[in-house]
Amino acid sequence: MTSVGTDSVPFHGAHQPGITTPLHARGHLIAFDLAPGAGRKEAAALLRRWSATARTLMAGEPAGGGPAAGAGTDGGHDTGIALDAGPSSLTVTFGFGRTFFDRTDLTARRPAALDPLPAFSSDHLDAGRSNGDLWIQIGSNDALVAFHALRALQKDTGAAARVRWQMNGFNRTPGATPHAMTSRNLMGQIDGTGNPKPSEPDFDRRIFVPATPAAGTPSWMAGGSYAVVRRIRMLLDDWEKLSLTRQEQVIGRRKSDGAPLTGGTETTDPDLDRIGPDGKPVIPSNAHARISTPEANGGAAMLRRPFSFHDGIGPDGTPDAGLLFVCWQADPLRGFVPVQRKLDRGDALSAFIRHEASGLFAVPGGAREGEYVGQRLLES
Amino acid sequence: MTSVGTDSVPFHGAHQPGITTPLHARGHLIAFDLAPGAGRKEAAALLRRWSATARTLMAGEPAGGGPAAGAGTDGGHDTGIALDAGPSSLTVTFGFGRTFFDRTDLTARRPAALDPLPAFSSDHLDAGRSNGDLWIQIGSNDALVAFHALRALQKDTGAAARVRWQMNGFNRTPGATPHAMTSRNLMGQIDGTGNPKPSEPDFDRRIFVPATPAAGTPSWMAGGSYAVVRRIRMLLDDWEKLSLTRQEQVIGRRKSDGAPLTGGTETTDPDLDRIGPDGKPVIPSNAHARISTPEANGGAAMLRRPFSFHDGIGPDGTPDAGLLFVCWQADPLRGFVPVQRKLDRGDALSAFIRHEASGLFAVPGGAREGEYVGQRLLES
């Protein structure tokens, strides 16, 4: 047996968990709207309850008393779904959507970075599955532990908030590959090669709001980050009809190992100027890897930390599957937006994907001991 | 790292894989109907393709040539979704529904055990998600490996068959608990305690059709089994409102460790006759564990090997979650039917669950080397 179950991630810290945490085998995204009549006070109480639950569950303990307290205990109790298992690297991450601030009379403290994302020509967004006042990302390497957390956090909302949308995702099970490697998506492509690495000197600057935010960024976002969430449906029936060569031209990388079409290994820089014997660029001008590369986007970088999703067969008979794209950046206007704008105009991949939902959330820094997430926004 | 990825299950054997295989972390159930005009010949060719794919993928190899064959390979190729990972205990199990036999002019060989299940008063069955000509169960400890198999097997159908319904499920990740133990369901209950064990002398007789089937059972079912599939929605919002004591009375077992309310451990036999100080049975007369116990059902026994499911939030705002109940038996009329009939009449649990879909499939014995699954039905 392994340490899969006993692995745990600390709740407290400079940043919230679930951002630089390795990909989880299972994840839930859930957005809530505050209930009519609920305002800043109710939101503060909810964030306090949520933080307490997240801290407890991430430590592998049952929520709010429970079966462990004895068979005779009545009243509030843990559902028991995660009993026996360890926390399995559970993380819970909380964010605020743009609409949260008006509803809590905190408009003056709303970061400009939460201004609505621009519309992209390839968007097919479902408003009912987009945005929301509050957002939670749950990740765990055990599906029952993740579901247990989802139910406990939902129960915490009481009358203060209502579910707006909820999505489920997955990645590889720890140990499924012989050693840790970049994950694949449901197109079979290695996905995440270009991600900034925590070891890089400008990683923190790109992903997190500094401890002393620059002028114009509210101080409550110190140590925070912005999450862009996109439900990206993959048109797999169309994609799988392409030859392997054609798929590799669309992406600009080899499918087998993720190396650029100009050679080397997954981590070799692509040679974007190389011309093939046919007089055309070896990495086509509309290849996804060319257009999304940070070098082509003024050094913009975001940390992509997605889940795959598969919700069975859609009403049209095609698989309702793809990527729950979640990316993290200190400033969406320098991370997601410029890259997506370029992809929207010229990415060969765009014929095989459809952005079906979108969210943008301000994710405050991690809670200190004795503090709850968002306290610096809600109580100062 | 672990052996999660490299573990493999043999395709060939007396029985098909996926019946006595330990619970998988991820599973797909998919049913197909033969396309108009497709008959026995097309079905035989399909089962031959499916068996070849199942054998290849269960060995951890890519389906039908693929990226491993070199970047220049065009035409049919593996999707690549499972590249890098081992087979992760992948199993693929094939079954035939009642309607298959008329469509292939094999009505005379249809087992009587495929006669429709009786209607139960608590059924809320969706015909579009029930039954089907052909059924496949896919299980793996890695979600991408399972999805890869699903896509490869779907592609194999070509024009011969169309998807009728498809469902996704999950169980614990290997290593999430400190040692192997009976799994929990989404009600938090230990589920599967009463399952027959392969070490018991009558296990094979109860679960599998004998190598020399009794009169009345077609010989092609030698070594086979019958699968009953039920999509059982759990009314979790209602269930979680119950006190722990009340939940335990509904089930008849302690939630913490699965022991009967009359004491002991999970494996202790319940004392069904014990009367409490209040003059009532300690295990209530309508407790699920009392009514479903083999002793109360003429020794009927089935091997339950379920997946949990969670398909997000239903249209009514409640979780679309529960159990993909899959049970295996040599004879459904001695396994599932008598137990479900009793549960249908008096089970306290029935107020908290809803049977939403149902399937009954004849699952032939395992293929021998050089043979495909179902060959003895389709070619003799």
Side-chain angles (χ1 to χ4, degrees):
Chain A
M1 281 300 165
T2 72
S3 62
V4 167
T6 51
D7 281 351
S8 68
V9 179
F11 173 72
H12 294 292
H15 313 299
Q16 286 195 61
I19 302 173
T20 57
T21 310
L23 293 185
H24 281 117
R26 184 75 175 173
H28 301 297
L29 308 181
I30 183 164
F32 299 87
D33 287 332
L34 288 172
R40 178 170 169 177
K41 187 178 144 208
E42 290 76 13
L46 175 56
L47 266 295
R48 186 186 290 278
R49 290 196 296 275
W50 272 349
S51 293
T53 296
R55 194 172 77 131
T56 302
L57 299 186
M58 286 175 60
E61 293 159 17
T73 310
D74 270 318
H77 62 94
D78 185 86
T79 56
I81 301 165
L83 275 178
D84 317 326
S88 307
S89 301
L90 177 70
T91 64
V92 181
T93 319
F94 301 97
F96 301 106
R98 177 178 169 81
T99 49
F100 178 82
F101 296 84
D102 290 340
R103 309 200 57 183
T104 50
D105 294 323
L106 288 165
T107 312
R109 294 203 191 164
R110 184 171 65 205
L114 280 187
D115 285 356
L117 295 174
F120 300 104
S121 68
S122 59
D123 284 354
H124 292 73
L125 303 182
D126 173 355
R129 293 195 289 182
S130 295
N131 295 308
D133 293 346
L134 292 155
W135 175 72
I136 305 180
Q137 173 192 262
I138 298 166
S140 170
N141 285 322
D142 181 76
L144 288 152
V145 168
F147 186 82
H148 175 251
L150 178 69
R151 293 299 294 171
L153 292 159
Q154 264 190 271
K155 190 172 168 186
D156 278 342
T157 57
R162 300 167 174 178
V163 176
R164 179 178 173 90
W165 54 260
Q166 196 258 301
M167 301 175 189
N168 302 331
F170 58 89
N171 286 296
R172 282 221 183 292
T173 298
T177 56
H179 48 88
M181 41 197 315
T182 313
S183 201
R184 288 185 189 266
N185 60 35
L186 297 188
M187 288 178 155
Q189 208 63 41
I190 289 183
D191 192 338
T193 302
N195 257 346
K197 312 286 179 295
S199 57
E200 292 167 2
D202 55 355
F203 178 84
D204 271 11
R205 183 180 62 75
R206 289 175 159 188
I207 308 306
F208 295 111
V209 174
T212 307
T217 296
S219 61
W220 64 266
M221 272 297 284
S225 186
Y226 294 91
V228 174
V229 180
R230 309 280 283 191
R231 185 186 203 266
I232 304 180
R233 175 87 166 263
M234 292 173 171
L235 309 180
L236 292 179
D237 285 348
D238 296 336
W239 174 252
E240 293 173 8
K241 281 188 195 114
L242 295 191
S243 70
L244 182 59
T245 302
R246 186 76 196 98
Q247 287 185 353
E248 294 184 333
Q249 286 169 339
V250 167
I251 301 294
R253 290 182 175 275
R254 284 205 301 255
K255 196 163 190 177
S256 56
D257 60 2
L261 293 185
T262 44
T265 67
E266 185 195 339
T267 53
T268 305
D269 283 335
D271 180 355
L272 297 173
D273 301 325
R274 175 101 54 94
I275 303 296
D278 60 356
K280 295 180 188 164
V282 174
I283 297 174
S285 57
N286 62 353
H288 182 74
R290 175 188 291 273
I291 296 180
S292 62
T293 187
E295 289 70 34
N297 293 285
M302 49 195 174
L303 178 68
R304 288 172 291 142
R305 189 178 180 280
F307 297 91
S308 289
F309 75 86
H310 175 216
D311 293 337
I313 306 275
D316 61 358
T318 65
D320 188 6
L323 196 71
L324 296 181
F325 174 97
V326 182
C327 78
W328 300 91
Q329 58 256 295
D331 180 357
L333 289 178
R334 291 177 43 81
F336 175 77
V337 169
V339 176
Q340 181 57 24
R341 196 169 267 143
K342 283 199 71 172
L343 291 174
D344 193 43
R345 281 199 290 257
D347 178 15
L349 186 60
S350 59
F352 302 96
I353 59 175
R354 197 160 58 202
H355 287 238
E356 297 188 330
S358 177
L360 171 59
F361 303 99
V363 172
R368 291 181 283 250
E369 287 276 352
E371 197 188 40
Y372 64 85
V373 174
Q375 185 164 345
R376 282 165 262 167
L377 166 65
L378 289 158
E379 292 195 17
S380 64
Chain B
M1 281 301 163
T2 73
S3 63
V4 167
T6 52
D7 282 351
S8 67
V9 179
F11 173 71
H12 294 292
H15 313 299
Q16 286 194 61
I19 301 174
T20 57
T21 310
L23 293 185
H24 280 118
R26 183 73 174 174
H28 301 297
L29 308 181
I30 182 163
F32 298 87
D33 287 333
L34 287 172
R40 181 170 166 177
K41 186 179 143 207
E42 290 75 13
L46 175 55
L47 266 295
R48 186 184 290 277
R49 290 195 296 276
W50 272 350
S51 292
T53 296
R55 193 174 77 133
T56 302
L57 299 186
M58 285 174 61
E61 293 159 17
T73 309
D74 270 318
H77 62 93
D78 186 86
T79 57
I81 301 164
L83 277 178
D84 318 326
S88 307
S89 302
L90 177 70
T91 64
V92 182
T93 319
F94 301 97
F96 300 107
R98 176 178 169 81
T99 50
F100 178 82
F101 296 84
D102 290 339
R103 309 200 56 184
T104 50
D105 294 322
L106 288 166
T107 312
R109 294 203 191 163
R110 185 170 65 205
L114 280 187
D115 285 355
L117 296 173
F120 300 104
S121 68
S122 59
D123 284 354
H124 291 74
L125 303 182
D126 173 354
R129 292 196 290 182
S130 295
N131 295 309
D133 293 345
L134 292 155
W135 175 71
I136 305 180
Q137 173 191 263
I138 298 165
S140 170
N141 285 323
D142 181 75
L144 288 152
V145 168
F147 186 81
H148 174 251
L150 178 69
R151 291 300 292 170
L153 292 159
Q154 265 190 270
K155 189 173 168 186
D156 279 341
T157 57
R162 299 168 175 177
V163 176
R164 180 179 172 89
W165 53 260
Q166 196 259 302
M167 301 176 187
N168 302 331
F170 58 88
N171 286 294
R172 282 221 184 291
T173 298
T177 56
H179 48 90
M181 41 198 315
T182 313
S183 202
R184 287 184 190 267
N185 61 34
L186 298 188
M187 287 178 156
Q189 208 64 40
I190 289 182
D191 191 338
T193 301
N195 257 346
K197 311 286 179 294
S199 56
E200 292 167 3
D202 56 354
F203 179 84
D204 271 11
R205 184 180 61 76
R206 288 176 158 185
I207 308 307
F208 295 112
V209 174
T212 306
T217 296
S219 60
W220 65 267
M221 273 297 285
S225 186
Y226 294 91
V228 174
V229 180
R230 310 280 284 190
R231 185 186 203 265
I232 304 180
R233 175 86 167 264
M234 293 173 170
L235 308 180
L236 292 178
D237 285 349
D238 296 337
W239 174 253
E240 292 173 7
K241 282 188 194 115
L242 295 191
S243 69
L244 182 59
T245 302
R246 186 74 197 98
Q247 287 185 353
E248 294 184 333
Q249 286 169 340
V250 167
I251 302 293
R253 292 182 173 275
R254 284 204 302 254
K255 195 163 192 178
S256 57
D257 60 3
L261 293 184
T262 44
T265 67
E266 185 195 340
T267 53
T268 305
D269 283 334
D271 180 355
L272 297 173
D273 300 325
R274 174 102 54 92
I275 303 297
D278 59 357
K280 295 180 188 164
V282 174
I283 296 175
S285 57
N286 62 353
H288 181 73
R290 173 188 292 274
I291 295 180
S292 62
T293 186
E295 290 69 35
N297 293 286
M302 49 196 175
L303 178 67
R304 287 172 290 142
R305 189 177 180 281
F307 297 91
S308 289
F309 74 86
H310 174 217
D311 294 336
I313 306 276
D316 61 356
T318 65
D320 188 6
L323 197 70
L324 297 182
F325 173 96
V326 182
C327 78
W328 300 91
Q329 58 256 295
D331 180 357
L333 289 178
R334 291 177 44 82
F336 175 76
V337 169
V339 176
Q340 181 57 23
R341 196 170 266 143
K342 283 199 72 170
L343 291 172
D344 192 44
R345 281 199 291 258
D347 178 15
L349 186 60
S350 61
F352 302 97
I353 60 176
R354 198 161 56 201
H355 288 238
E356 296 188 329
S358 177
L360 170 59
F361 302 98
V363 171
R368 290 181 284 250
E369 286 277 351
E371 198 188 38
Y372 63 86
V373 174
Q375 185 165 344
R376 281 165 262 167
L377 167 65
L378 290 159
E379 292 193 17
S380 64

